[in-house]
């Protein structure tokens, strides 16, 4: 009896995408590198037929990997291994965990990603700014933003600058810092130099902090490192950047936001921004918006900034979903 050849990783990926169909596969491609897309496209193009058994096997393996990944996010590798062993047996659990960790490579500081930011802040705020920056570079952006907002003002810009200018970190340094934070953590899985930080990391963090923290950090960076500040601003979207949206994008945003938030946000904005919204509303709606702003009276700056931030968060979410396009310039020209 001839033993059936096992599919390679790339063949499995191609079979999975074919099984998912073009719409779902297109969404998967959005999260992949250009080189990976090219390789998979070529593999898919070379596939003539997928047997029912291969399709079922690939879908089953994908489901197991997805479930295992979810377990790892919930409670770490040991938790995932324990749950999978109970469900699938020891050998199968080990096989899945090995495949998952070798393909995803568990990131450093995994054990603190489930830690409450306020507790973590108490733990690290006495550390050197470079150490704080290193830890924050490996956290989720939302978690890091809470910590950055809570740091003393004199530390915020310094830590943000260190994150942005961080390049590659020696695994020995990572290991040393991890051992200080968590004695029980095992050795780093990947012994290659690990990429961390960079301008995009600090942009992701600043996109999630409150407006006051964002302004404080950017104003300080503009003085200390104007070139870095300019690079960060190019990648960020603030409320005033609504003028960069096309009319259809603004109309989409108007459908998603609260009119009360809009009136409050426009209370502290430029005339150009107000006109951008008003021209994409009906004449009656625009008049009502103007009346709401006029009759609002004095408002706290913090309330205006919070309303602007809520609208910005909606815009960023719509962009991530691909429902609107922000023309930031420098290669963002739109072809119709």
């Amino acid at each position: 009896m001839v033993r059936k050849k096992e599919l390679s990783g790339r063949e499995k990926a191609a079979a999975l995408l074919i099984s998912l169909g073009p719409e779902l596969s297109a969404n998967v491609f959005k999260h992949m590198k250009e080189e990976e897309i090219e390789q998979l496209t070529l593999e898919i193009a070379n596939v003539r037929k997928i047997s029912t058994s291969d399709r079922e096997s690939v879908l089953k393996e994908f489901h197991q990997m997805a479930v295992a990944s979810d377990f790892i996010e919930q409670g770490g590798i040991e938790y995932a291994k324990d749950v999978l062993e109970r469900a699938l047996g020891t050998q199968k659990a080990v096989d899945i965990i090995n495949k998952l960790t070798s393909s995803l490579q568990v990131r450093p500081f995994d054990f603190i990603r489930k830690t409450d930011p306020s507790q973590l802040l108490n733990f690290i705020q006495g550390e050197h700014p470079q150490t704080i920056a290193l830890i924050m570079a490996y956290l989720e952006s939302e978690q890091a933003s809470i910590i950055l907002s809570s740091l003393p003002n004199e530390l915020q810009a310094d830590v943000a600058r260190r994150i942005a200018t961080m390049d590659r970190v020696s695994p020995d340094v990572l290991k040393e810092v991890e051992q200080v934070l968590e004695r029980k953590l095992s050795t780093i899985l990947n012994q290659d130099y690990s990429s961390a930080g960079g301008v995009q990391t600090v942009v992701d963090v600043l996109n999630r902090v409150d407006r006051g923290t964002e302004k404080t950090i950017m104003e300080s960076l503009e003085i200390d490192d104007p070139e870095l500040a300019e690079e960060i601003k190019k990648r960020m979207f603030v409320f005033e950047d609504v003028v960069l949206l096309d009319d259809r994008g603004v109309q989409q945003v108007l459908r998603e936001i609260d009119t009360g938030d809009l009136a409050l946000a426009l209370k502290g904005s430029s005339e150009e921004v107000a006109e951008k919204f008003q021209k994409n509303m009906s004449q009656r709606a625009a008049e009502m918006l103007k009346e709401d702003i006029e009759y609002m009276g004095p408002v706290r700056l913090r309330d205006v900034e919070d309303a602007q931030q809520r609208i910005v968060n909606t815009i960023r979410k719509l962009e991530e979903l691909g429902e609107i396009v922000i023309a930031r310039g420098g290669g963002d020209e739109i072809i119709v």
Side-chain angles (χ1 to χ4, degrees):
M1 182 178 179
V2 179
R3 187 175 181 179
K4 187 177 179 181
K5 178 188 173 185
E6 186 176 349
L7 297 177
S8 67
R10 193 177 299 174
E11 288 171 334
K12 289 179 182 179
L16 175 64
L17 291 175
I18 292 172
S19 301
L20 291 176
E23 186 174 345
L24 289 176
S25 295
N27 288 330
V28 173
F29 275 158
K30 292 178 182 178
H31 302 280
M32 299 174 67
K33 298 176 182 177
E34 186 174 334
E35 181 182 355
E36 294 171 334
I37 294 174
E38 291 175 358
Q39 292 173 346
L40 268 179
T41 301
L42 182 60
E43 190 68 45
I44 292 171
N46 289 329
V47 173
R48 293 290 177 265
K49 184 179 179 181
I50 303 174
S51 69
T52 302
S53 60
D54 280 343
R55 178 183 284 108
E56 290 178 352
S57 175
V58 167
L59 289 173
K60 182 178 180 182
E61 182 177 344
F62 171 72
H63 177 258
Q64 290 174 340
M65 296 278 279
V67 169
S69 178
D70 188 47
F71 287 153
I72 288 176
E73 289 183 3
Q74 289 179 40
I77 291 179
E78 289 305 317
Y79 170 77
K81 184 171 177 290
D82 181 53
V83 175
L84 292 172
E85 281 181 350
R86 296 171 188 270
L88 305 172
T90 301
Q91 188 56 52
K92 187 64 176 177
V94 170
D95 290 343
I96 292 173
I97 292 294
N98 286 343
K99 285 180 182 178
L100 200 58
T101 54
S102 63
S103 61
L104 297 183
Q105 293 180 356
V106 177
R107 296 173 62 198
F109 302 105
D110 181 63
F111 70 96
I112 60 174
R113 285 195 191 88
K114 297 300 179 182
T115 304
D116 182 82
S118 60
Q119 294 178 339
L120 188 55
L121 174 67
N122 292 332
F123 198 58
I124 69 172
Q125 63 182 351
E127 298 291 332
H128 188 279
Q130 186 64 28
T131 302
I132 297 175
L134 175 62
I135 295 169
M136 288 177 58
Y138 282 100
L139 297 177
E140 298 297 335
S141 298
E142 184 175 354
Q143 193 179 25
S145 67
I146 295 173
I147 293 174
L148 186 61
S149 299
S150 304
L151 289 174
N153 290 340
E154 63 272 14
L155 259 184
Q156 289 178 344
D158 187 19
V159 170
R161 178 179 58 80
R162 290 173 185 271
I163 295 174
T165 55
M166 194 181 298
D167 185 15
R168 305 182 76 80
V169 184
S170 163
D172 292 334
V173 173
L174 283 173
K175 184 177 177 181
E176 183 179 347
V177 176
E178 282 185 313
Q179 287 178 335
V180 171
L181 293 175
E182 174 57 88
R183 301 288 183 186
K184 297 180 180 180
L185 188 69
S186 60
T187 58
I188 297 173
L189 294 175
N190 180 22
Q191 289 303 308
D192 293 331
Y193 278 71
S194 178
S195 296
V199 175
Q200 190 56 48
T201 299
V202 81
V203 168
D204 291 340
V205 173
L206 290 177
N207 277 341
R208 290 167 172 80
V209 300
D210 62 88
R211 191 75 187 279
T213 300
E214 176 189 302
K215 288 169 66 176
T216 299
I217 292 173
M218 290 306 301
E219 287 171 0
S220 181
L221 288 177
E222 284 169 358
I223 297 172
D224 297 336
D225 196 334
E227 290 185 5
L228 175 59
E230 184 61 29
E231 179 63 24
I232 290 174
K233 284 195 289 186
K234 285 180 182 177
R235 303 191 192 190
M236 290 187 66
F237 185 95
V238 295
F239 184 71
E240 289 74 16
D241 290 333
V242 73
V243 296
L244 300 175
L245 296 174
D246 59 19
D247 289 344
R248 188 170 66 176
V250 175
Q251 291 160 18
Q252 177 69 17
V253 172
L254 284 169
R255 287 193 287 269
E256 300 290 334
I257 62 177
D258 181 78
T259 53
D261 272 349
L262 180 58
L264 188 56
L266 292 178
K267 186 77 174 179
S269 71
S270 67
E271 187 174 331
E272 183 182 13
V273 173
E275 289 178 354
K276 185 71 174 181
F277 280 108
Q278 290 165 2
K279 79 171 188 175
N280 283 286
M281 305 169 72
S282 67
Q283 183 176 351
R284 176 58 183 155
E287 290 174 354
M288 290 177 63
L289 179 63
K290 289 179 181 178
E291 291 175 1
D292 288 343
I293 295 173
E294 289 173 3
Y295 295 136
M296 191 175 293
V299 293
R300 294 190 308 169
L301 176 61
R302 180 59 186 268
D303 291 338
V304 172
E305 291 178 341
D306 286 347
Q308 290 178 345
Q309 193 63 47
R310 286 192 290 272
I311 294 174
V312 166
N313 290 341
T314 298
I315 293 173
R316 289 169 179 160
K317 180 180 178 182
L318 290 173
E319 185 191 25
E320 289 174 2
L321 294 173
E323 296 185 18
I324 62 174
V325 176
I326 300 173
R328 291 181 172 84
D332 281 338
E333 294 83 359
I334 307 302
I335 300 176
V336 180

